[in-house]
Amino acid sequence: MARGMIPILDLTRQYRYLEEPIGDAIAAVLASGTFINGANVAALEDEIARYTGAQFGVGCNSGTDALHLALRALNIGPGDEVITTPFTFIATTEAIAMVGATPVFVDIDPLTFNIDPLRIEAAITPRTQAILPVHLYGNPAPMREIASIAARHGLVVVEDCAQAIGAQIGGDRTGSFSDAAAFSFFPSKNLGAYGDGGMLVTSRPEVAERVRSLRSHGGRVKYHHEEIGLNSRLDELQAAILRVKLPHLETWIERRRAHAAAYSVALEGIVAIPDETPGTRHVFHQYTIRVSNREQVRDELAARGVGTMVYYPVPLHLQKVHEPLGYRHGAFEHSEAAAREVLSLPMFPELEPGEAEAVIDAVRSVCAETVPLA
Ligand SMILES: *Cc1c(COP(=O)(O)O)cnc(C)c1O
């Protein structure tokens, strides 16, 4: 080992790089005296909309709220079913449950970790109203296939883009393929704030308008309320910080992709490496391998100073909170296998080439004798 622990993520390096402009941006907001719905929020909404290719952006308190409000603005509610993947973070189904609808799971394609479009139609019932794909790990879900299924069955589509800002299919960016899409600015995401934050994007003006109202206590005019909403605004301070970071996002994505390419070249044939569908751009929020003896590999990598994480150890259909949905072990074999075998390696733009090499050396020596998965 060349040095100490190589963390899976180190946010301090990016801060050191941008310390001055971020300090200036924070000071300017403090001096302005405007902390809610100020000029930075409005500007960031335009900038993110333009970046994604959607027409409108609406800042929210978190990615979870953006997902929740997307579903509400699309009139998804009690009695409705929303088709989604069981191999994701709980926020995806939380948003569905918060509007009173029922998540219906469809297994993943084991190669991409995303919802398998070939299995979606079998899950559609007369109650189905929406499909909610997640671009897991930054790998874009098959949006063209999903959009055509949705069109055939008269369903809306909501994208969970929390891990995939900047990911592309055929040159178009995630967030532009659906009725509404949710982004997260949680600090560890590819575009991270210094606190919670999120944004809904849409090209449907009535959806943008409704979410603007819902995020501000259900009214467009102050002290005039049309429906029960909530308080879910993006802070002016966070928006100012994100506006300093956004111009660097493409460079940061390219660095992630360069680290991923180096990992993949060196690890192919030793472990199962991530797939990138031709014609798409994976943004490697996570670089996730699969190994059959994961806990042992994890421990041995830790002993060699390599930090790893498991996203996610329990698929959502087997979570205690979703017991009432009635799913059993074995219901979704690919999601369950992924939950047993996935392991994410250190991945962030500021990872140094020497660190990536040390990760590769460690994985190669730990995994050399294990049988690679298909
Ligand atoms: C992070 C994340 C969310 C939620 O974002 P928050 O801003 O933390 O609320 C939703 N879905 C997925 C897949 C995520 O990774």
Side-chain angles (χ1 to χ4, degrees):
M1 280 303 308
R3 60 198 84 210
M5 193 77 183
I6 301 170
I8 181 149
L9 170 65
D10 179 355
L11 294 176
T12 67
R13 298 183 195 181
Q14 193 170 90
Y15 175 61
R16 257 181 276 134
Y17 173 64
L18 292 175
E19 188 169 356
E20 248 189 65
I22 284 177
D24 292 348
I26 291 173
V29 171
L30 298 187
S32 79
T34 300
F35 303 105
I36 302 293
N37 287 348
N40 283 292
V41 169
L44 184 73
E45 289 176 338
D46 285 346
E47 288 162 7
I48 295 287
R50 209 173 318 127
Y51 178 81
T52 60
Q55 273 197 289
F56 308 100
V58 185
C60 300
N61 231 320
S62 67
T64 307
D65 278 2
L67 266 183
H68 165 201
L69 294 179
L71 293 169
R72 266 203 69 189
L74 291 164
N75 297 311
I76 310 296
D80 296 336
E81 293 177 354
V82 178
I83 290 175
T84 193
T85 165
F87 194 55
T88 176
F89 180 55
I90 190 69
T92 310
T93 50
E94 226 169 14
I96 297 169
M98 279 192 302
V99 299
T102 305
V104 171
F105 294 117
V106 166
D107 208 357
I108 57 169
D109 174 343
L111 213 57
T112 64
F113 298 110
N114 285 324
I115 192 167
D116 183 348
L118 298 177
R119 297 168 192 266
I120 290 176
E121 279 188 297
I124 295 175
T125 76
R127 290 171 175 257
T128 308
Q129 293 296 337
I131 308 174
L132 203 176
V134 179
H135 308 293
L136 200 75
Y137 304 146
N139 191 22
M143 295 311 298
R144 308 235 190 260
E145 292 84 341
I146 290 168
S148 80
I149 294 166
R152 265 204 302 285
H153 295 271
L155 310 176
V156 296
V157 179
V158 174
E159 282 167 271
D160 182 338
C161 300
Q163 302 187 3
I165 190 164
Q168 296 176 4
I169 302 170
D172 293 323
R173 291 201 173 115
T174 52
S176 65
F177 299 105
S178 54
D179 292 276
F183 289 89
S184 167
F185 305 126
F186 185 80
S188 67
K189 300 292 160 84
N190 285 19
L191 180 65
Y194 293 140
D196 278 308
M199 191 170 292
L200 170 133
V201 306
T202 180
S203 292
R204 292 178 55 175
E206 80 284 8
V207 171
E209 176 88 345
R210 181 104 182 269
V211 174
R212 273 183 207 290
S213 164
L214 285 168
R215 74 170 175 186
S216 253
H217 305 288
R220 272 160 291 191
V221 180
K222 211 170 190 179
Y223 308 125
H224 293 73
H225 308 281
E226 292 139 40
E227 60 179 326
I228 295 296
L230 62 160
N231 177 356
S232 181
R233 292 163 306 221
L234 177 63
D235 279 359
E236 183 71 2
L237 268 177
Q238 299 303 341
I241 291 162
L242 290 163
R243 292 188 69 210
V244 173
K245 290 188 168 197
L246 181 59
H248 300 277
L249 180 61
E250 282 297 304
T251 307
W252 291 337
I253 289 171
E254 285 308 314
R255 285 208 197 129
R256 286 175 181 270
R257 289 176 53 78
H259 296 318
Y263 280 164
S264 287
V265 164
L267 298 179
E268 183 162 23
I270 293 176
V271 296
I273 57 170
D275 176 72
E276 186 172 44
T277 309
T280 70
R281 182 200 203 198
H282 191 319
V283 293
F284 292 99
H285 174 58
Q286 300 298 338
Y287 184 92
T288 302
I289 61 170
R290 296 179 71 138
V291 286
S292 51
N293 52 339
R294 180 184 63 205
E295 298 316 313
Q296 184 193 341
V297 169
R298 229 192 143 189
D299 289 348
E300 289 181 20
L301 287 175
R304 288 162 196 259
V306 174
T308 59
M309 283 294 280
V310 173
Y311 306 105
Y312 297 92
V314 182
L316 297 193
H317 68 289
L318 300 179
Q319 292 284 350
K320 180 161 177 48
V321 66
H322 286 321
E323 261 172 28
L325 297 175
Y327 290 102
R328 301 252 177 274
H329 274 274
F332 302 111
E333 57 166 327
H334 297 306
S335 298
E336 292 171 33
R340 283 192 303 271
E341 295 167 355
V342 292
L343 189 65
S344 295
L345 302 181
M347 174 54 76
F348 50 99
E350 300 78 15
L351 193 70
E352 289 165 26
E355 291 176 312
E357 261 167 50
V359 172
I360 287 166
D361 289 348
V363 175
R364 286 179 70 103
S365 62
V366 166
C367 296
E369 300 100 63
T370 62
V371 183
L373 294 163

